[in-house]
Amino acid sequence: MAGVITATPASATTQYKIYLSNTDLDNGWRLEMQSIAQNFIARTAPYNHEVKFQIINGTNTVAGQIASIEAILPDHPNAIVIDANSPTALTPVLNQAIAQGAVVVWFDTPLSNAKAYGVTTIGGLTKPAYSTALWLIHSMGDKGNLVINNGVLGTGGEEQQNAGVLEAVKQFPKVHVVAQFSGQWASAPSASAFEQIMATHPVINGVWDSGGESGVIEDLVKAHKPLIPIAGYTFNQY
């Protein structure tokens, strides 16, 4: 949505209370994102003096994230920056925060809350998923068996990514999606799930990953299989 955020400069004794709402999904990207946010606040003037910044990591469920936000409402945060586990389910608790005067800004996974502000790239996560899937399909020779490694199911980000991949796939009738699984944007769950996929699908010609690519690669190496075309997002190790 379009809007203007205004704020009164903090006094020498007042700090803005800004919370980053995340979940305990400890994949490489989430950990790096938190580290960047912490370092930016700590090392950048005037924010290092004017902002009290805290990260709240609820359990990796919608209920867990709601509970973690409810816990900070008595502190009356000035702003909540959120990577949401659901585009809709967090609306009631975020509206409580907004009613108290907090500004809510989402990133990475979109919210449907019209009272919140959003930060995203043009085309969201659908466009890069589509582009990388096209590269992957061309690398497969425009045919073959494709496995899709999705993110956390039910999140807006995962839905955008999956839509982008399937938009590319439908242009190539000789490409068959033989399996989809939720690697949760993390290496260990991706490795565990893909190992089972390999056991039931002996012929896999390509894998598209929304995250956790290194787990898939490790499985192929461990099974002494050739490194087939793999595409995805640039997580650590990948």
Side-chain angles (χ1 to χ4, degrees), residues 91-132:
T91 295
V93 71
L94 292 176
N95 280 346
Q96 290 182 51
I98 292 168
Q100 291 182 181
V103 172
V104 173
V105 181
W106 59 260
F107 70 101
D108 187 35
T109 54
L111 292 173
S112 60
N113 192 333
K115 298 178 181 179
Y117 294 83
V119 179
T120 187
T121 58
I122 296 174
L125 297 176
T126 302
K127 187 174 181 179
Y130 173 81
S131 299
T132 52

Side-chain angles (χ1 to χ4, degrees), residues 166-221:
L166 295 180
E167 180 67 24
V169 169
K170 73 179 185 181
Q171 301 175 47
F172 300 89
K174 294 183 179 180
V175 172
H176 307 287
V177 179
V178 295
Q180 296 193 52
F181 67 93
S182 172
Q184 301 181 44
W185 295 314
S187 297
S190 294
S192 177
F194 188 66
E195 186 175 22
Q196 298 177 45
I197 296 294
M198 287 196 302
T200 55
H201 295 85
V203 179
I204 298 173
N205 304 107
V207 184
W208 187 90
D209 303 86
S210 62
E213 299 86 353
S214 60
V216 171
I217 294 171
E218 288 167 5
D219 278 348
L220 291 169
V221 172

